[in-house]
Amino acid sequence: MNFDLNAAKAFDVSLPVGPERPAPLEQALGLVDRVFGIDTILSEKHAEIVSKYYRQSMPGYAALYNRWQCMHLALHEPHLDEKAAFFAQAQVVSDLLTNAPGQRVLELGCGLGANTLHLAAHHPGTDFTGLDLMAEHVARARAKAGNLPNASFRCASFDALPEDAEGFDVIFAVETLCYAQSTDDVALGLARLLRPGGWVVIFDAHRKEGFEAFPAALVTAARLYETTTAVTRGFHQDGTWERALTAAGLVAASESITEKTHQGLATLHRRATKAFVDPKWRLLLRTMPRYFARNAVAGLLGYHVCFGDGPDPDPERGVVAYQQIMARKAVG
């Protein structure tokens, strides 16, 4: 059977949304095991699947996840509409810009270019560069750049930052540095590329301290969430980036903003639930490429990973925190 993206779009609109209250974690894990096999997924621990994952998942991000082709979680607040929630991370970057002549911004892991293009349109006097490991992403982003002369994209890895890229006022990364193998090396590279007074801004999920001591079901859910989003080595532990950035000579601080992911994760949980319980979606999952289909696992479990397994959402009960990290290079 061949996967039909148009059929997926039709199902996503026509099938009833899942339950308002998330399924209990044990029930959710049972669904994952029945459809995909928990041990089968976790057998890919440390496997190099990032390129396969994004290549197979790109149709979903481009056509199903959201209309702006953002490849990250939305951050909802009462005053934000859906578009503003998806560009909330970009807004933090925007607030750091003074629009002084010659300002430059670098995005690491820019995906399909949504954040860089959004910022370039709102700051025409600032130069924006997006880097991404995937040539397919870069090609899509360039095609969307259209009449934005201040937005450019290139294929490169943050593990080997281009030597000719330097002098940035802001470097930001949204849910991409989770893939970094050496936080110390990457932090040193970022510090090198910053101008004095420049900022590094990171948004990502991190394992909480004492990860292994959390309830076994939550730890399993977190490992499944990590693996099915291609973070097969596991998320970095809380504090890892702050220490690396400080060692690189930057002044770093962080805060948990997990509560802002609640609405988005709850919506993904409801959408993923139908993929596991509706016969039509179950059949469709069997036709999808493996790593694309496994996004349903992340969608089903992300809520529990961040908010625990209680009757009400509680970031304190989650095993993973979604964090905003800010680091600045000294002026003198």
Side-chain angles (χ1 to χ4, degrees), residues 9-322:
K9 291 181 184 178
F11 282 153
D12 197 56
V13 171
S14 62
L15 289 178
V17 176
E20 286 298 320
R21 297 185 70 84
L25 179 56
E26 290 292 349
Q27 180 181 339
L29 289 173
L31 291 172
V32 172
D33 199 34
R34 191 176 310 132
V35 176
F36 292 100
I38 289 175
D39 290 341
T40 300
I41 294 174
L42 295 183
S43 69
E44 295 194 330
K45 181 179 180 180
H46 292 169
E48 297 293 342
I49 65 171
V50 175
S51 294
K52 291 179 182 178
Y53 168 77
Y54 279 105
R55 189 167 292 114
Q56 292 183 15
S57 297
M58 187 166 62
Y61 282 117
L64 292 176
Y65 181 42
N66 60 80
R67 73 187 69 177
W68 307 281
Q69 299 186 355
C70 300
M71 301 175 75
H72 57 258
L73 289 173
L75 302 179
H76 286 87
E77 294 185 76
H79 64 285
L80 299 181
D81 61 18
E82 192 71 3
K83 180 178 181 180
F86 271 109
F87 288 107
Q89 293 94 333
Q91 185 59 48
V92 173
V93 175
S94 180
D95 291 343
L96 294 174
L97 300 176
T98 64
N99 293 322
Q103 283 198 310
R104 302 182 67 209
V105 177
L106 175 67
E107 181 180 11
L108 306 177
C110 66
L112 298 174
N115 284 318
T116 290
L117 294 170
H118 177 80
L119 287 164
H122 286 81
H123 297 272
T126 299
D127 180 71
F128 293 87
T129 300
L131 298 186
D132 199 273
L133 182 67
M134 302 289 296
E136 297 95 324
H137 290 172
V138 171
R140 291 280 192 103
R142 285 174 176 168
K144 293 194 295 180
N147 296 320
L148 288 172
N150 61 326
S152 62
F153 298 91
R154 59 191 297 186
C155 195
S157 168
F158 51 71
D159 284 317
L161 291 164
E163 291 295 328
D164 61 340
E166 59 182 7
F168 290 98
D169 297 278
V170 182
I171 302 173
F172 74 103
V174 182
E175 300 171 28
T176 187
L177 291 180
C178 51
Y179 300 112
Q181 297 189 37
S182 172
T183 55
D184 289 338
D185 289 345
V186 173
L188 285 170
L190 299 181
R192 174 180 63 82
L193 299 187
L194 277 183
R195 287 176 176 167
W199 291 90
V200 170
V201 184
I202 299 171
F203 292 91
D204 226 319
H206 299 105
R207 290 180 174 185
K208 289 184 179 179
E209 188 175 352
F211 175 81
E212 299 288 349
F214 278 82
L218 273 178
V219 173
T220 297
R223 288 175 170 155
L224 288 166
Y225 184 88
E226 293 166 342
T227 304
T228 55
T229 54
V231 191
T232 57
R233 293 179 178 83
F235 292 134
H236 298 294
Q237 185 170 310
D238 179 15
T240 300
W241 278 109
E242 294 90 319
R243 290 189 290 272
L245 293 165
T246 299
L250 307 181
V251 178
S254 66
E255 63 174 315
S256 173
I257 54 173
T258 308
E259 67 279 358
K260 296 181 181 180
T261 69
H262 174 261
Q263 183 174 329
L265 288 174
T267 298
L268 287 173
H269 178 87
R270 291 193 296 269
R271 294 177 69 183
T273 297
K274 34 181 204 186
F276 284 93
V277 302
D278 186 282
K280 293 180 180 179
W281 259 105
R282 289 275 294 273
L283 181 62
L284 191 61
L285 280 178
R286 294 173 57 186
T287 73
M288 292 179 179
R290 176 193 301 178
Y291 299 113
F292 184 14
R294 286 183 181 178
N295 279 293
V297 176
L300 188 70
L301 299 178
Y303 180 95
H304 296 294
V305 167
C306 288
F307 294 99
D309 192 28
D312 298 305
D314 185 355
E316 296 301 318
R317 293 180 178 272
V319 70
V320 163
Y322 192 88

